[in-house]
Amino acid sequence: MKKIFAFIFVLVAMTAYGNEVVTVYGPESMKWIQRDIASKFKEETGVEIKFVSINGLVPRMKLEKNNPRADVVLGLTPSSAEMAKNEGLTAKYRPKSYKNISKEEFIMDEEWYVTPFDYGALAINYDAQMLKNPPKSFEEISKMKKQFLVEDPRSFTGQEFMLWTIAVYGDQWKEFWKNLKPSILTVTPSWDEAFAKFTAKEAPMMAGYASSSVYFYQDGNQNKYKSFIPEEGGYVYLEGAALVSKKKIKKGSKKFMDYILEKDFQELTAKKNYMFPVTNVKLPEEYKYVPVPKKVVTISGKDAVANLETWKKELIDILKD
């Protein structure tokens, strides 16, 4: 009997959504959506998910503006969400499941051009075997010669790390970077390359993520690699999803937007995306190793959009000198 009801449910869902294919753009780190979400989502709704990994969501959306190929985008930060909104690349939609969001401050846009689905904090990842007495602050890091790996500000992690320092130091951020420069061993093009150098013991510290501690635990390296948040304050960033603005928005796209705030998807953001969910779902045991900032510093999406390219150029010039 249960099988009959299940079949009827799927049949009704497929009729309602026309066996649609919803194309989802997101960062490579979210490929788990195709593997762990797509089949179950199709079983429940009749909607097929096609995940495409994209580096640089907003530039790709701008390129395809007149003929959008994506239906939903995942991984928008407050700044990139603001850019996409200003360019008319996203559409308003408040998911039916929006009340699942646990804190009002997680709301990224009051008009609902973007919906938050997870959040995390930047941190300094360090090798506990190489660094017996890790620094406690940015100021202490700046006094350690050639021991720090940072990412190019044109990369996502490098951009967010730059914004972190601006949130901490305000108008004095460029002076901080000039003082920090002697402590930098290498500026890598991306997080992946920084992590490769870090695990190869080229340097004992790198600009990274607090939730990397979950990965360290799962890999059995929780005593080898650790993370800390400098006492000046932690930088918390949200990731959001949005409907792509197009002439006809699929019903299945809205259904997927509803789904990202449901229990199954939210639990997987913690297990697979190494990020904190924005709803009250139970976290895996290993999240006890993730450092939590005592003080939080932020920059608004509007301020970031207005100044981001200028800030990047200024930082690149400092790092070149």
Side-chain angles (χ1 to χ4, degrees):
M1 183 65 71
K2 288 183 179 178
K3 289 183 179 179
I4 293 173
F5 280 122
F7 174 76
I8 293 172
F9 177 80
V10 172
L11 186 63
V12 170
M14 290 179 68
T15 302
Y17 296 103
N19 202 23
E20 290 178 324
V21 177
V22 172
T23 299
V24 178
Y25 281 1
E28 188 173 0
S29 61
M30 296 195 73
K31 282 184 175 180
W32 54 268
I33 288 173
Q34 192 71 59
R35 182 179 64 251
D36 299 305
I37 289 291
S39 60
K40 186 172 183 180
F41 185 71
K42 184 175 182 180
E43 182 181 327
E44 292 182 5
T45 66
V47 179
E48 183 178 341
I49 296 297
K50 179 184 177 183
F51 182 82
V52 180
S53 60
I54 298 291
N55 290 321
L57 284 172
V58 176
R60 174 61 71 89
M61 292 168 72
K62 288 174 69 175
L63 187 66
E64 298 177 358
K65 183 174 182 178
N66 294 329
N67 186 27
R69 297 179 184 178
D71 298 297
V72 176
V73 290
L74 294 173
L76 295 171
T77 62
S79 57
S80 61
E82 187 71 19
M83 289 180 194
K85 177 181 175 179
N86 292 344
E87 292 284 343
L89 302 173
T90 51
K92 290 183 185 180
Y93 181 68
R94 187 173 70 177
K96 294 178 181 177
S97 51
Y98 81 97
K99 290 185 179 180
N100 291 348
I101 297 172
S102 60
K103 295 181 181 179
E104 188 175 343
E105 55 262 39
F106 289 154
I107 305 301
M108 296 173 71
D109 181 76
E110 292 182 358
E111 296 179 286
W112 291 93
Y113 278 92
V114 62
T115 295
F117 64 88
D118 66 16
Y119 70 98
L122 296 185
I124 309 301
N125 305 134
Y126 72 97
D127 188 321
Q129 295 177 348
M130 295 177 68
L131 210 57
K132 302 297 183 182
N133 297 301
K136 297 180 181 179
S137 66
F138 280 125
E139 294 305 309
E140 289 182 15
I141 293 172
S142 66
K143 296 173 183 176
M144 302 172 70
K145 306 298 181 185
K146 302 292 182 183
Q147 296 193 57
F148 193 32
L149 297 164
V150 299
E151 298 84 359
D152 189 300
R154 287 166 290 195
S155 71
F156 175 75
T157 309
Q159 172 187 293
E160 296 304 297
F161 183 65
M162 177 190 72
L163 291 176
W164 184 7
T165 64
I166 294 171
V168 168
Y169 289 98
D171 293 340
Q172 302 301 312
W173 75 272
K174 285 181 282 186
E175 197 62 34
F176 164 74
W177 274 92
K178 291 174 184 176
N179 294 331
L180 180 69
K181 191 174 178 180
S183 74
I184 298 172
L185 176 68
T186 305
V187 179
T188 65
S190 66
W191 177 90
D192 290 353
E193 293 187 48
F195 191 71
K197 289 180 179 293
F198 172 65
T199 53
K201 292 186 175 294
E202 291 188 28
M205 295 183 295
M206 67 170 284
Y209 300 93
S211 54
S212 290
S213 294
V214 175
Y215 171 77
F216 299 149
Y217 174 86
Q218 292 177 344
D219 208 35
N221 284 314
Q222 69 269 28
N223 294 320
K224 182 178 181 181
Y225 302 125
K226 298 180 181 293
S227 307
F228 75 90
I229 296 175
E231 59 190 14
E232 289 92 346
Y235 183 81
V236 175
Y237 65 98
L238 286 153
E239 287 190 309
L243 292 176
V244 176
S245 179
K246 51 202 316 183
K247 290 181 180 178
K248 184 178 180 180
I249 293 175
K250 299 171 182 175
K251 292 181 180 178
S253 301
K254 294 180 179 179
K255 187 69 177 176
F256 186 71
M257 290 290 291
D258 297 338
Y259 188 73
I260 66 172
L261 294 176
E262 297 293 350
K263 183 175 181 287
D264 287 347
F265 191 96
Q266 287 288 291
E267 287 182 340
L268 281 169
T269 64
K271 293 176 182 177
K272 303 291 184 178
N273 219 37
Y274 302 112
M275 297 280 278
F276 286 93
V278 296
T279 65
N280 289 321
V281 295
K282 186 177 180 180
L283 292 170
E285 174 72 13
E286 53 265 36
Y287 269 75
K288 68 183 181 182
Y289 293 102
V290 178
V292 177
K294 295 179 181 178
K295 174 185 176 183
V296 173
V297 294
T298 59
I299 288 182
S300 73
K302 290 183 179 179
D303 286 343
V305 169
N307 299 286
L308 193 57
E309 294 309 313
T310 298
W311 288 339
K312 287 182 183 179
K313 289 176 183 177
E314 290 174 336
L315 180 52
I316 289 168
D317 287 341
I318 290 171
L319 294 172
K320 281 181 179 178
D321 291 341

mmCIF file of all heavy atoms in Angstrom, residues 191-225:
data_model
loop_
_atom_site.group_PDB
_atom_site.id
_atom_site.type_symbol
_atom_site.label_atom_id
_atom_site.label_comp_id
_atom_site.label_asym_id
_atom_site.label_seq_id
_atom_site.Cartn_x
_atom_site.Cartn_y
_atom_site.Cartn_z
ATOM 1 N N TRP A 191 42.312 29.281 -2.782
ATOM 2 C CA TRP A 191 42.346 28.542 -1.514
ATOM 3 C C TRP A 191 42.973 27.171 -1.705
ATOM 4 O O TRP A 191 43.764 26.720 -0.883
ATOM 5 C CB TRP A 191 40.924 28.380 -0.968
ATOM 6 C CG TRP A 191 40.874 27.576 0.306
ATOM 7 C CD1 TRP A 191 40.961 28.044 1.587
ATOM 8 C CD2 TRP A 191 40.744 26.145 0.419
ATOM 9 N NE1 TRP A 191 40.902 27.002 2.485
ATOM 10 C CE2 TRP A 191 40.773 25.831 1.804
ATOM 11 C CE3 TRP A 191 40.620 25.110 -0.505
ATOM 12 C CZ2 TRP A 191 40.662 24.521 2.265
ATOM 13 C CZ3 TRP A 191 40.511 23.801 -0.046
ATOM 14 C CH2 TRP A 191 40.533 23.526 1.331
ATOM 15 N N ASP A 192 42.622 26.494 -2.802
ATOM 16 C CA ASP A 192 43.148 25.150 -3.053
ATOM 17 C C ASP A 192 44.675 25.134 -3.043
ATOM 18 O O ASP A 192 45.300 24.243 -2.445
ATOM 19 C CB ASP A 192 42.653 24.622 -4.403
ATOM 20 C CG ASP A 192 41.161 24.302 -4.399
ATOM 21 O OD1 ASP A 192 40.553 24.359 -3.323
ATOM 22 O OD2 ASP A 192 40.623 23.998 -5.469
ATOM 23 N N GLU A 193 45.272 26.109 -3.710
ATOM 24 C CA GLU A 193 46.735 26.142 -3.783
ATOM 25 C C GLU A 193 47.353 26.516 -2.441
ATOM 26 O O GLU A 193 48.413 26.009 -2.072
ATOM 27 C CB GLU A 193 47.178 27.100 -4.893
ATOM 28 C CG GLU A 193 46.788 26.597 -6.275
ATOM 29 C CD GLU A 193 47.364 27.437 -7.404
ATOM 30 O OE1 GLU A 193 48.559 27.739 -7.379
ATOM 31 O OE2 GLU A 193 46.592 27.794 -8.316
ATOM 32 N N ALA A 194 46.685 27.378 -1.702
ATOM 33 C CA ALA A 194 47.174 27.716 -0.364
ATOM 34 C C ALA A 194 47.127 26.493 0.537
ATOM 35 O O ALA A 194 48.071 26.209 1.285
ATOM 36 C CB ALA A 194 46.338 28.853 0.231
ATOM 37 N N PHE A 195 46.030 25.742 0.444
ATOM 38 C CA PHE A 195 45.874 24.552 1.282
ATOM 39 C C PHE A 195 46.919 23.489 0.923
ATOM 40 O O PHE A 195 47.443 22.798 1.810
ATOM 41 C CB PHE A 195 44.462 23.979 1.138
ATOM 42 C CG PHE A 195 44.125 22.918 2.142
ATOM 43 C CD1 PHE A 195 43.923 23.239 3.478
ATOM 44 C CD2 PHE A 195 44.004 21.588 1.760
ATOM 45 C CE1 PHE A 195 43.610 22.265 4.414
ATOM 46 C CE2 PHE A 195 43.695 20.605 2.688
ATOM 47 C CZ PHE A 195 43.503 20.944 4.016
ATOM 48 N N ALA A 196 47.222 23.357 -0.358
ATOM 49 C CA ALA A 196 48.239 22.388 -0.785
ATOM 50 C C ALA A 196 49.607 22.751 -0.205
ATOM 51 O O ALA A 196 50.340 21.882 0.278
ATOM 52 C CB ALA A 196 48.301 22.330 -2.309
ATOM 53 N N LYS A 197 49.940 24.021 -0.234
ATOM 54 C CA LYS A 197 51.221 24.472 0.331
ATOM 55 C C LYS A 197 51.227 24.328 1.852
ATOM 56 O O LYS A 197 52.239 23.965 2.458
ATOM 57 C CB LYS A 197 51.481 25.928 -0.069
ATOM 58 C CG LYS A 197 51.808 26.123 -1.552
ATOM 59 C CD LYS A 197 52.049 27.589 -1.873
ATOM 60 C CE LYS A 197 52.391 27.773 -3.346
ATOM 61 N NZ LYS A 197 53.709 27.163 -3.687
ATOM 62 N N PHE A 198 50.090 24.610 2.456
ATOM 63 C CA PHE A 198 49.955 24.495 3.911
ATOM 64 C C PHE A 198 50.161 23.053 4.369
ATOM 65 O O PHE A 198 50.940 22.780 5.289
ATOM 66 C CB PHE A 198 48.563 25.004 4.309
ATOM 67 C CG PHE A 198 48.190 24.787 5.753
ATOM 68 C CD1 PHE A 198 48.870 25.425 6.770
ATOM 69 C CD2 PHE A 198 47.131 23.947 6.083
ATOM 70 C CE1 PHE A 198 48.521 25.233 8.106
ATOM 71 C CE2 PHE A 198 46.762 23.752 7.402
ATOM 72 C CZ PHE A 198 47.462 24.389 8.415
ATOM 73 N N THR A 199 49.483 22.113 3.722
ATOM 74 C CA THR A 199 49.609 20.705 4.111
ATOM 75 C C THR A 199 50.956 20.114 3.701
ATOM 76 O O THR A 199 51.355 19.073 4.225
ATOM 77 C CB THR A 199 48.466 19.865 3.511
ATOM 78 O OG1 THR A 199 48.408 20.076 2.096
ATOM 79 C CG2 THR A 199 47.135 20.257 4.143
ATOM 80 N N ALA A 200 51.669 20.787 2.783
ATOM 81 C CA ALA A 200 53.028 20.369 2.429
ATOM 82 C C ALA A 200 54.065 20.994 3.361
ATOM 83 O O ALA A 200 55.263 20.858 3.147
ATOM 84 C CB ALA A 200 53.331 20.744 0.978
ATOM 85 N N LYS A 201 53.561 21.705 4.373
ATOM 86 C CA LYS A 201 54.405 22.321 5.413
ATOM 87 C C LYS A 201 55.329 23.432 4.887
ATOM 88 O O LYS A 201 56.392 23.688 5.440
ATOM 89 C CB LYS A 201 55.244 21.265 6.140
ATOM 90 C CG LYS A 201 54.418 20.300 6.987
ATOM 91 C CD LYS A 201 55.297 19.367 7.795
ATOM 92 C CE LYS A 201 54.477 18.490 8.737
ATOM 93 N NZ LYS A 201 53.813 19.256 9.802
ATOM 94 N N GLU A 202 54.879 24.130 3.837
ATOM 95 C CA GLU A 202 55.658 25.262 3.352
ATOM 96 C C GLU A 202 55.526 26.459 4.291
ATOM 97 O O GLU A 202 56.404 27.319 4.342
ATOM 98 C CB GLU A 202 55.224 25.639 1.933
ATOM 99 C CG GLU A 202 55.608 24.586 0.896
ATOM 100 C CD GLU A 202 55.355 25.038 -0.520
ATOM 101 O OE1 GLU A 202 55.394 26.270 -0.770
ATOM 102 O OE2 GLU A 202 55.119 24.180 -1.380
ATOM 103 N N ALA A 203 54.400 26.521 5.011
ATOM 104 C CA ALA A 203 54.176 27.575 6.001
ATOM 105 C C ALA A 203 53.225 27.032 7.057
ATOM 106 O O ALA A 203 52.368 26.188 6.751
ATOM 107 C CB ALA A 203 53.585 28.828 5.354
ATOM 108 N N PRO A 204 53.339 27.499 8.305
ATOM 109 C CA PRO A 204 52.497 26.955 9.377
ATOM 110 C C PRO A 204 51.112 27.573 9.491
ATOM 111 O O PRO A 204 50.297 27.096 10.276
ATOM 112 C CB PRO A 204 53.318 27.248 10.632
ATOM 113 C CG PRO A 204 54.054 28.504 10.291
ATOM 114 C CD PRO A 204 54.389 28.391 8.830
ATOM 115 N N MET A 205 50.825 28.627 8.718
ATOM 116 C CA MET A 205 49.516 29.281 8.820
ATOM 117 C C MET A 205 48.988 29.650 7.445
ATOM 118 O O MET A 205 49.766 29.935 6.532
ATOM 119 C CB MET A 205 49.612 30.563 9.654
ATOM 120 C CG MET A 205 49.969 30.392 11.109
ATOM 121 S SD MET A 205 49.968 32.000 11.988
ATOM 122 C CE MET A 205 51.326 32.833 11.155
ATOM 123 N N MET A 206 47.654 29.676 7.340
ATOM 124 C CA MET A 206 47.023 30.148 6.105
ATOM 125 C C MET A 206 45.693 30.822 6.424
ATOM 126 O O MET A 206 45.056 30.527 7.439
ATOM 127 C CB MET A 206 46.789 28.996 5.132
ATOM 128 C CG MET A 206 45.774 27.965 5.583
ATOM 129 S SD MET A 206 45.333 26.771 4.271
ATOM 130 C CE MET A 206 44.229 27.770 3.248
ATOM 131 N N ALA A 207 45.295 31.736 5.558
ATOM 132 C CA ALA A 207 43.974 32.349 5.669
ATOM 133 C C ALA A 207 42.959 31.334 5.158
ATOM 134 O O ALA A 207 43.046 30.882 4.010
ATOM 135 C CB ALA A 207 43.911 33.628 4.847
ATOM 136 N N GLY A 208 42.024 30.939 6.012
ATOM 137 C CA GLY A 208 41.080 29.898 5.621
ATOM 138 C C GLY A 208 39.759 30.025 6.338
ATOM 139 O O GLY A 208 39.265 31.131 6.561
ATOM 140 N N TYR A 209 39.214 28.891 6.741
ATOM 141 C CA TYR A 209 37.865 28.837 7.284
ATOM 142 C C TYR A 209 37.820 28.131 8.633
ATOM 143 O O TYR A 209 38.522 27.139 8.852
ATOM 144 C CB TYR A 209 36.941 28.116 6.299
ATOM 145 C CG TYR A 209 36.870 28.806 4.964
ATOM 146 C CD1 TYR A 209 37.714 28.430 3.921
ATOM 147 C CD2 TYR A 209 35.987 29.858 4.755
ATOM 148 C CE1 TYR A 209 37.669 29.081 2.696
ATOM 149 C CE2 TYR A 209 35.930 30.511 3.538
ATOM 150 C CZ TYR A 209 36.770 30.122 2.503
ATOM 151 O OH TYR A 209 36.729 30.771 1.291
ATOM 152 N N ALA A 210 36.981 28.627 9.512
ATOM 153 C CA ALA A 210 36.820 28.000 10.824
ATOM 154 C C ALA A 210 36.309 26.575 10.683
ATOM 155 O O ALA A 210 36.731 25.669 11.405
ATOM 156 C CB ALA A 210 35.858 28.826 11.682
ATOM 157 N N SER A 211 35.413 26.361 9.730
ATOM 158 C CA SER A 211 34.819 25.036 9.564
ATOM 159 C C SER A 211 35.779 24.025 8.944
ATOM 160 O O SER A 211 35.443 22.844 8.849
ATOM 161 C CB SER A 211 33.535 25.125 8.732
ATOM 162 O OG SER A 211 33.783 25.781 7.500
ATOM 163 N N SER A 212 36.978 24.459 8.540
ATOM 164 C CA SER A 212 37.991 23.495 8.094
ATOM 165 C C SER A 212 38.313 22.519 9.216
ATOM 166 O O SER A 212 38.773 21.396 8.967
ATOM 167 C CB SER A 212 39.267 24.218 7.648
ATOM 168 O OG SER A 212 39.055 24.910 6.444
ATOM 169 N N SER A 213 38.060 22.929 10.456
ATOM 170 C CA SER A 213 38.307 22.054 11.603
ATOM 171 C C SER A 213 37.437 20.798 11.537
ATOM 172 O O SER A 213 37.818 19.749 12.067
ATOM 173 C CB SER A 213 38.045 22.810 12.910
ATOM 174 O OG SER A 213 38.985 23.856 13.074
ATOM 175 N N VAL A 214 36.271 20.899 10.887
ATOM 176 C CA VAL A 214 35.427 19.723 10.697
ATOM 177 C C VAL A 214 36.139 18.739 9.773
ATOM 178 O O VAL A 214 36.201 17.534 10.032
ATOM 179 C CB VAL A 214 34.057 20.115 10.100
ATOM 180 C CG1 VAL A 214 33.229 18.873 9.789
ATOM 181 C CG2 VAL A 214 33.315 21.029 11.052
ATOM 182 N N TYR A 215 36.684 19.271 8.697
ATOM 183 C CA TYR A 215 37.420 18.423 7.749
ATOM 184 C C TYR A 215 38.640 17.800 8.413
ATOM 185 O O TYR A 215 38.926 16.617 8.223
ATOM 186 C CB TYR A 215 37.844 19.260 6.540
ATOM 187 C CG TYR A 215 38.784 18.550 5.597
ATOM 188 C CD1 TYR A 215 38.301 17.590 4.702
ATOM 189 C CD2 TYR A 215 40.146 18.814 5.605
ATOM 190 C CE1 TYR A 215 39.160 16.926 3.846
ATOM 191 C CE2 TYR A 215 41.010 18.150 4.757
ATOM 192 C CZ TYR A 215 40.510 17.209 3.872
ATOM 193 O OH TYR A 215 41.367 16.553 3.031
ATOM 194 N N PHE A 216 39.357 18.583 9.206
ATOM 195 C CA PHE A 216 40.535 18.059 9.901
ATOM 196 C C PHE A 216 40.141 16.883 10.807
ATOM 197 O O PHE A 216 40.837 15.879 10.881
ATOM 198 C CB PHE A 216 41.209 19.145 10.739
ATOM 199 C CG PHE A 216 41.711 20.320 9.949
ATOM 200 C CD1 PHE A 216 41.744 21.595 10.516
ATOM 201 C CD2 PHE A 216 42.141 20.178 8.648
ATOM 202 C CE1 PHE A 216 42.207 22.679 9.798
ATOM 203 C CE2 PHE A 216 42.601 21.270 7.910
ATOM 204 C CZ PHE A 216 42.629 22.523 8.489
ATOM 205 N N TYR A 217 39.001 17.023 11.476
ATOM 206 C CA TYR A 217 38.520 15.967 12.367
ATOM 207 C C TYR A 217 38.160 14.708 11.574
ATOM 208 O O TYR A 217 38.557 13.591 11.923
ATOM 209 C CB TYR A 217 37.307 16.449 13.157
ATOM 210 C CG TYR A 217 36.660 15.379 14.008
ATOM 211 C CD1 TYR A 217 37.128 15.109 15.300
ATOM 212 C CD2 TYR A 217 35.603 14.625 13.516
ATOM 213 C CE1 TYR A 217 36.544 14.119 16.076
ATOM 214 C CE2 TYR A 217 35.014 13.638 14.284
ATOM 215 C CZ TYR A 217 35.490 13.387 15.565
ATOM 216 O OH TYR A 217 34.914 12.397 16.323
ATOM 217 N N GLN A 218 37.414 14.897 10.498
ATOM 218 C CA GLN A 218 36.976 13.754 9.699
ATOM 219 C C GLN A 218 38.153 13.019 9.076
ATOM 220 O O GLN A 218 38.096 11.817 8.835
ATOM 221 C CB GLN A 218 36.004 14.214 8.610
ATOM 222 C CG GLN A 218 34.667 14.701 9.155
ATOM 223 C CD GLN A 218 33.745 15.225 8.078
ATOM 224 O OE1 GLN A 218 34.174 15.515 6.959
ATOM 225 N NE2 GLN A 218 32.470 15.366 8.414
ATOM 226 N N ASP A 219 39.227 13.768 8.813
ATOM 227 C CA ASP A 219 40.417 13.181 8.199
ATOM 228 C C ASP A 219 41.396 12.633 9.244
ATOM 229 O O ASP A 219 42.479 12.174 8.892
ATOM 230 C CB ASP A 219 41.115 14.247 7.333
ATOM 231 C CG ASP A 219 41.880 13.628 6.175
ATOM 232 O OD1 ASP A 219 41.413 12.624 5.628
ATOM 233 O OD2 ASP A 219 42.961 14.140 5.834
ATOM 234 N N GLY A 220 41.010 12.733 10.525
ATOM 235 C CA GLY A 220 41.862 12.223 11.594
ATOM 236 C C GLY A 220 43.041 13.122 11.927
ATOM 237 O O GLY A 220 44.026 12.682 12.530
ATOM 238 N N ASN A 221 42.939 14.400 11.537
ATOM 239 C CA ASN A 221 44.056 15.329 11.744
ATOM 240 C C ASN A 221 43.715 16.451 12.722
ATOM 241 O O ASN A 221 44.332 17.513 12.686
ATOM 242 C CB ASN A 221 44.488 15.941 10.402
ATOM 243 C CG ASN A 221 45.294 14.982 9.560
ATOM 244 O OD1 ASN A 221 46.216 14.332 10.053
ATOM 245 N ND2 ASN A 221 44.944 14.872 8.282
ATOM 246 N N GLN A 222 42.741 16.227 13.615
ATOM 247 C CA GLN A 222 42.315 17.296 14.513
ATOM 248 C C GLN A 222 43.399 17.725 15.490
ATOM 249 O O GLN A 222 43.348 18.844 16.035
ATOM 250 C CB GLN A 222 41.044 16.895 15.276
ATOM 251 C CG GLN A 222 41.226 15.793 16.307
ATOM 252 C CD GLN A 222 40.994 14.412 15.733
ATOM 253 O OE1 GLN A 222 41.200 14.196 14.540
ATOM 254 N NE2 GLN A 222 40.567 13.494 16.573
ATOM 255 N N ASN A 223 44.389 16.866 15.726
ATOM 256 C CA ASN A 223 45.494 17.244 16.609
ATOM 257 C C ASN A 223 46.672 17.837 15.848
ATOM 258 O O ASN A 223 47.559 18.437 16.440
ATOM 259 C CB ASN A 223 45.962 16.024 17.414
ATOM 260 C CG ASN A 223 44.895 15.535 18.376
ATOM 261 O OD1 ASN A 223 44.216 16.330 19.003
ATOM 262 N ND2 ASN A 223 44.728 14.220 18.474
ATOM 263 N N LYS A 224 46.654 17.664 14.539
ATOM 264 C CA LYS A 224 47.733 18.190 13.698
ATOM 265 C C LYS A 224 47.404 19.581 13.176
ATOM 266 O O LYS A 224 48.215 20.495 13.228
ATOM 267 C CB LYS A 224 47.976 17.230 12.531
ATOM 268 C CG LYS A 224 49.116 17.649 11.604
ATOM 269 C CD LYS A 224 49.312 16.619 10.504
ATOM 270 C CE LYS A 224 50.456 17.013 9.584
ATOM 271 N NZ LYS A 224 50.644 16.036 8.481
ATOM 272 N N TYR A 225 46.194 19.725 12.636
ATOM 273 C CA TYR A 225 45.755 21.011 12.093
ATOM 274 C C TYR A 225 44.635 21.579 12.950
ATOM 275 O O TYR A 225 43.696 20.877 13.304
ATOM 276 C CB TYR A 225 45.261 20.847 10.656
ATOM 277 C CG TYR A 225 46.276 20.279 9.704
ATOM 278 C CD1 TYR A 225 45.992 19.137 8.959
ATOM 279 C CD2 TYR A 225 47.528 20.876 9.552
ATOM 280 C CE1 TYR A 225 46.925 18.611 8.074
ATOM 281 C CE2 TYR A 225 48.468 20.348 8.682
ATOM 282 C CZ TYR A 225 48.160 19.216 7.944
ATOM 283 O OH TYR A 225 49.084 18.693 7.076
#
